[in-house]
Amino acid sequence: MINTPAELSAAEARRQIGARDLTPSALLEACIARIEERNPLVNAVITTNFEDARSEAKIADHMVQAGNALPPLHGLPVLVKDLSRTKGLRTTFGSRCFETHVPDHDDIIVERLRAAGAIVLGKTNTPEFGAGANTSNLVFGATGNPYKSTLTSGGSSGGSAAGLASNMAPLASGSDLGGSLRIPASFCGIVGMRPSPGIVPSRSHVSGFSHLWTDGPMARSVEDLTLMLSAISGFDARDPLCSPNLDIEYADFHAIEDLAHSRIGFSTGLGVAEVDSEIAALFKARQPIINKHFKTAVALDVDLSDAAEVFRVLRAESLYAAYGELAESQPDMIGQNVRNNILEAKSLSLADTARADAAHTQIYRRFQAIFDQVDYLICPATSVSPFPLGDNHPKAINDKPLKEYYAWYAITWALSLTGSPVVTLPCGLDNQAMPFGIQIVGPRHSDAKLLRFSRSLESALVQDGLGRTLPKFSAPDTAKA
């Protein structure tokens, strides 16, 4: 039952706007009301754009009334992760170094969202410079989970995920280096996609030839995800990984992807991730329910154990390239996660990075060969259930101490090295009554096909009682800074 336009899917809201059954202004006011009601519980939206958004919504209203041709996201409010620059709207990157920073231009993902008719409603919280999978920083504090606000929303796109799960907007942007989009999608029970690098172009990533960083869409359904991706994908010559042949067309999305013809491989830990015993048992228990929909489903002996050293080196290299000079000039203003990576990078030699680059190439080629055997790979989206908000990261899994703060999410960063697109889908609740998500992985540049498959699987999971479960917002606790 829909109680407010804020609960409508993006696709349905856009249909109603086009049919003149819903005005952009009415949709915007419903989303603003939800932010005012629920944001104090989770701290997802850290900078609002209400007055400018209201002015834009009125213009959008007039365009509908005048019978003008409407762009694909016309009148849809969108939340933008605070790692993306927004012209005239504060962008902090979660860092005290940029606490009052107001950009004079939009990043290309925001530029394309606006061009497609979306209305920027506000900015969402992120750890400093996106370094970490618990959304907390020294500027705005922490973002709680809508299902239980004393637990983490994940990160680094935790603000976007929490905002979506709270129905603050139908669409939100995210970005992903080692799982920054997929982890919060899983923890907050929404849908997220790490596209193949180059699908969503960037002009701001300092290491433009690196396959680690990519922007991507976040939504509450695969259809909405595809609607947003179709608006933000497309060629831009200033992104060295971008290609003119990689556009995502929403109009082609409704082609049927028959699950019964699909060959599926399963892996619990990809040969590199320590997975909590309860999560592993849950994933195993759910496989027979999922497997019945496919032609074949087999356990794959995936071995990404060499990904750990590669990710250690390439992550440090990427963060040093982007923030090394800043961290060295303002060390007292930079948080521990970023400082650790800068120190890691300074300890590396050219030989270390050369070995990492060579090993990365082998990981990529070995992993893409998996798709000679299967069409898609499915694995858990996280190795643990959401943990307490005050913890930067789990210190151990299955009583095994974890060395680095990012070791607990190897299940996602190992896949970042493979070049493959990944969709994270809700798959019911775990034993702690928190959202449980799965990752669906396809061959590199199979993004459109992967989305069609994911939508079919999403529908099947709903029929099996393993679809998205809504947060109740009944807990009295609030997210603490």
Side-chain angles (χ1 to χ4, degrees):
M1 180 181 296
I2 301 296
N3 298 308
T4 165
E7 297 174 359
L8 292 169
S9 71
E12 176 59 19
R14 176 61 181 83
R15 187 197 68 76
Q16 290 191 21
I17 288 172
R20 302 188 183 186
D21 294 330
L22 174 67
T23 66
S25 287
L27 175 59
L28 178 72
E29 292 302 330
C31 291
I32 289 174
R34 276 297 167 89
I35 291 174
E36 291 176 338
E37 172 194 355
R38 295 181 172 178
N39 199 53
L41 291 170
V42 293
N43 190 34
V45 179
I46 41 79
T47 299
T48 60
N49 192 40
F50 292 168
E51 294 313 308
D52 284 350
R54 285 180 167 123
S55 297
E56 292 176 29
K58 288 178 181 178
I59 295 172
D61 292 344
H62 293 316
M63 289 179 64
V64 175
Q65 294 163 6
N68 295 347
L70 304 178
L73 303 185
H74 185 79
L76 298 183
V78 62
L79 293 170
V80 176
K81 184 178 179 179
D82 204 30
L83 291 188
S84 293
R85 295 170 183 83
T86 40
K87 183 179 180 179
L89 184 63
R90 183 173 62 164
T91 302
T92 73
F93 312 104
S95 175
R96 290 180 293 176
C97 299
F98 294 91
E99 190 166 355
T100 60
H101 174 59
V102 178
D104 60 4
H105 69 281
D106 286 329
D107 277 343
I108 186 172
I109 185 172
V110 180
E111 180 183 301
R112 288 188 171 183
L113 286 168
R114 294 190 199 271
I119 297 172
V120 175
L121 184 52
K123 306 298 288 291
T124 59
N125 206 16
T126 176
E128 185 176 33
F129 301 128
N134 183 3
T135 295
S136 180
N137 60 60
L138 296 174
V139 182
F140 302 109
T143 296
N145 193 303
Y147 291 78
K148 188 174 183 181
S149 59
T150 55
L151 301 181
T152 181
S153 59
S156 62
S157 306
S160 288
L164 283 167
S166 305
N167 293 326
M168 296 179 191
L171 299 171
S173 71
S175 60
D176 194 294
L177 184 150
S180 288
L181 195 153
R182 291 162 283 159
I183 294 164
S186 177
F187 276 179
C188 295
I190 56 108
V191 183
M193 183 181 190
R194 176 190 168 90
S196 298
I199 292 289
V200 179
S202 172
R203 301 169 192 159
S204 59
H205 294 163
V206 174
S207 300
F209 286 92
S210 170
H211 287 68
L212 286 184
W213 277 110
T214 180
D215 294 318
M218 304 180 76
R220 297 192 292 260
S221 71
V222 178
E223 182 178 21
D224 288 358
L225 197 77
T226 308
L227 179 64
M228 181 175 175
L229 185 61
S230 67
I232 61 178
S233 65
F235 180 63
D236 187 281
R238 285 161 284 190
D239 186 327
L241 300 181
C242 201
S243 166
N245 301 316
L246 299 179
D247 288 2
I248 302 296
E249 296 293 339
Y250 179 68
D252 297 335
F253 171 63
H254 295 284
I256 295 174
E257 184 79 12
D258 189 353
L259 299 181
H261 292 158
S262 300
R263 303 169 301 158
I264 304 301
F266 283 92
S267 176
T268 300
L270 302 174
V272 67
E274 183 69 32
V275 179
D276 179 80
S277 58
E278 288 193 0
I279 295 295
L282 181 67
F283 183 61
K284 182 178 180 180
R286 299 222 166 137
Q287 285 179 36
I289 303 173
I290 302 173
N291 287 355
K292 66 185 181 185
H293 299 289
F294 307 128
K295 178 180 179 180
T296 59
V298 297
L300 285 184
D301 184 19
V302 181
D303 182 8
L304 295 181
S305 56
D306 49 347
E309 177 63 11
V310 174
F311 184 73
R312 180 185 75 86
V313 173
L314 298 186
R315 174 190 173 88
E317 178 187 47
S318 176
L319 288 172
Y320 186 86
Y323 310 115
E325 290 185 7
L326 181 67
E328 290 174 353
S329 65
Q330 302 184 56
D332 295 337
M333 298 289 284
I334 301 295
Q336 191 63 49
N337 285 353
V338 177
R339 288 204 306 270
N340 286 345
N341 280 278
I342 300 306
L343 291 173
E344 185 97 69
K346 292 177 71 173
S347 72
L348 298 171
S349 67
L350 179 60
D352 291 325
T353 57
R355 282 191 292 268
D357 286 338
H360 186 194
T361 302
Q362 292 305 311
I363 289 171
Y364 169 81
R365 290 171 177 163
R366 192 171 71 241
F367 188 83
Q368 294 303 316
I370 286 174
F371 299 107
D372 294 337
Q373 308 172 54
V374 299
D375 300 312
Y376 304 99
L377 172 69
I378 296 178
C379 64
T382 61
S383 294
V384 298
S385 188
F387 48 87
L389 195 57
D391 295 347
N392 183 46
H393 60 281
K395 304 299 190 296
I397 298 178
N398 299 327
D399 295 325
K400 297 179 181 178
L402 301 176
K403 183 179 179 182
E404 300 90 2
Y405 76 89
Y406 53 83
W408 72 270
Y409 54 97
I411 194 72
T412 52
W413 53 247
L415 292 174
S416 296
L417 296 172
T418 68
S420 281
V422 188
V423 170
T424 296
L425 283 183
C427 189
L429 300 178
D430 66 17
N431 297 335
Q432 309 302 317
M434 297 298 291
F436 172 72
I438 56 175
Q439 296 183 90
I440 303 102
V441 191
R444 180 168 171 81
H445 292 157
S446 68
D447 299 63
K449 193 171 186 294
L450 174 64
L451 283 164
R452 291 194 294 269
F453 173 83
S454 297
R455 189 184 185 195
S456 297
L457 181 55
E458 176 187 51
S459 178
L461 290 173
V462 169
Q463 294 175 13
D464 292 334
L466 293 177
R468 180 170 178 249
T469 301
L470 305 182
K472 299 184 186 302
F473 283 92
S474 58
D477 49 1
T478 58
K480 300 294 192 301

